[in-house]
Amino acid sequence: MSRAHTVARLSDATLGAFAFVPSSATLDHLVRYLSTWSGTDKLFTLIQYTLKLVAPVLIARARLQHRFGLRKEHTRNVSSSFSKFSNIIGDFRMLGRFCGLFPVLQWMISMERNPPPTRALLNIERLQGWSMLVYYPLEHLYYLRIHDLIPAAIPSIISLTGRGSRKISLNAGKLAMWSCRAWAAYVVLQFAHLLEDRKLLLMKERHLKKGKDVSAEERKDLGRRWDVFWNEVIANTANLPLAIHWSLEKGFFSNDLWPTIFALVNAMASFRSGWKATALSPQKIIVKDVDDFDSSLVSTEKQETQL
């Protein structure tokens, strides 16, 4: 055996080791899912609120161990790291939503040219679109303000014309609260949307039951639609207490644990819906995911400002 052939075989066995790794449909699915901002955001949301839930559990465990003399310190460094990392993820997700207005504008333009099947759905989605047009600019101003990238007061439009010197105060807490109120309007409207979706699904179900030549694919498609519907019910139900909590000046929950739990439930439901959607061939699904326009959960910094 020549030396060149030996070197080639050695390089194939080392540098080309991935030749022995079988192709993975799951890996292909994961790459396809995470190649979109929405998919990446859903994954980071899941990680963020998992860390926020695990951190206090680790702290409580460390304190219990310290009380029984099983450890010297009553804190754990890892819990502090989890909290810090969850805050970094929250900041990253909010920064990523700076481009969130563009798909909303695209959606609203497309909606008028290709309206939903009913007038009620059209008006609901119109109102949802306008609520997002309020939500995003306020959240962007909030983000810029908490990072001290813009001043606490900016000149008003009247002062720019030279007719006065009045300035507009940019209070980070109020910006966060009002942006969350716009998001809360979206969440409430989504329940109305889901009621309309349910009516359409029931009509479709009755039609299939009466039909004689109903294919298995049609029944399977209806089952998928119901699955998407109930997944969205869970996600939006988890969003509602969060929207109320972050829309109030002093919050609704006295314990941070409950917002974290609801946020994690929403994150799991949203991740599941996105995962299943990218696994299927593109279809026109009745139920609209609340996270399609990156109007998802606000970051940890916003929660702390409002509480």
Side-chain angles (χ1 to χ4, degrees):
M1 185 180 295
S2 66
R3 182 180 177 181
H5 185 64
T6 302
V7 172
R9 292 189 63 180
L10 182 61
S11 65
D12 287 344
T14 54
L15 300 178
F18 278 95
F20 303 101
V21 179
S23 59
S24 171
T26 302
L27 180 60
D28 294 341
H29 187 183
L30 183 64
V31 172
R32 183 168 62 252
Y33 185 35
L34 298 183
S35 64
T36 64
W37 167 251
S38 179
T40 303
D41 182 69
K42 286 179 173 66
L43 176 64
F44 276 117
T45 304
L46 188 60
I47 295 172
Q48 177 187 358
Y49 289 103
T50 299
L51 293 176
K52 280 182 65 65
L53 188 62
V54 170
V57 173
L58 292 178
I59 292 173
R61 180 172 177 266
R63 288 176 178 173
L64 189 63
Q65 289 176 334
H66 176 72
R67 181 178 298 177
F68 286 97
L70 299 177
R71 62 182 296 121
K72 295 180 180 180
E73 299 177 353
H74 65 278
T75 59
R76 290 180 65 94
N77 292 332
V78 67
S79 60
S80 176
S81 299
F82 281 1
S83 296
K84 290 178 181 177
F85 189 41
S86 68
N87 290 343
I88 292 172
I89 293 175
D91 191 83
F92 164 75
R93 291 180 54 238
M94 189 177 291
L95 179 63
R97 289 199 291 270
F98 264 68
C99 295
L101 265 179
F102 299 120
V104 172
L105 293 172
Q106 183 187 47
W107 168 49
M108 294 186 73
I109 293 170
S110 175
M111 183 198 313
E112 299 302 326
R113 289 160 176 74
N114 301 285
T118 67
R119 167 63 66 170
L121 280 176
L122 176 61
N123 287 331
I124 290 169
E125 292 194 11
R126 281 170 171 170
L127 289 170
Q128 286 182 309
W130 282 104
S131 70
M132 289 295 97
L133 292 181
V134 175
Y135 165 78
Y136 278 110
L138 291 177
E139 184 187 68
H140 300 338
L141 287 172
Y142 163 78
Y143 182 88
L144 295 173
R145 185 69 202 98
I146 62 170
H147 288 284
D148 205 23
L149 297 173
I150 55 175
I154 58 175
S156 64
I157 297 177
I158 297 176
S159 65
L160 293 175
T161 61
R163 297 180 181 179
S165 58
R166 185 179 178 183
K167 290 188 175 183
I168 300 174
S169 176
L170 298 177
N171 180 281
K174 289 184 178 180
L175 288 171
M177 184 173 62
W178 281 102
S179 68
C180 284
R181 287 176 178 177
W183 177 58
Y186 184 102
V187 172
V188 173
L189 287 166
Q190 186 66 5
F191 280 111
H193 198 295
L194 288 168
L195 287 174
E196 291 297 315
D197 293 335
R198 183 176 179 274
K199 292 177 184 178
L200 293 175
L201 286 171
L202 288 173
M203 287 175 58
K204 179 69 174 178
E205 192 172 60
R206 287 194 294 268
H207 175 73
L208 291 181
K209 286 181 178 179
K210 292 179 180 179
K212 295 181 179 180
D213 300 322
V214 179
S215 65
E217 184 59 34
E218 286 181 299
R219 295 186 184 279
K220 189 176 180 180
D221 178 64
L222 180 62
R224 285 195 294 261
R225 289 168 179 257
W226 275 116
D227 181 75
V228 173
F229 172 82
W230 287 115
N231 193 87
E232 178 60 19
V233 169
I234 294 172
N236 207 58
T237 301
N239 268 338
L240 183 61
L242 294 172
I244 296 172
H245 176 65
W246 292 331
S247 295
L248 300 175
E249 189 172 355
K250 295 183 180 180
F252 181 75
F253 300 105
S254 58
N255 191 329
D256 286 346
L257 181 63
W258 285 110
T260 302
I261 291 174
F262 284 120
L264 183 59
V265 171
N266 173 269
M268 290 189 292
S270 297
F271 186 87
R272 178 182 180 273
S273 68
W275 181 263
K276 292 179 76 70
T278 52
L280 301 173
S281 58
Q283 296 183 31
K284 185 178 180 182
I285 299 176
I286 294 177
V287 179
K288 174 169 52 58
D289 184 0
V290 74
D291 289 329
D292 282 347
F293 312 103
D294 293 323
S295 60
S296 54
L297 301 176
V298 290
S299 73
T300 304
E301 291 84 5
K302 180 176 289 189
Q303 300 170 37
E304 292 174 349
T305 301
Q306 289 183 268
L307 293 178

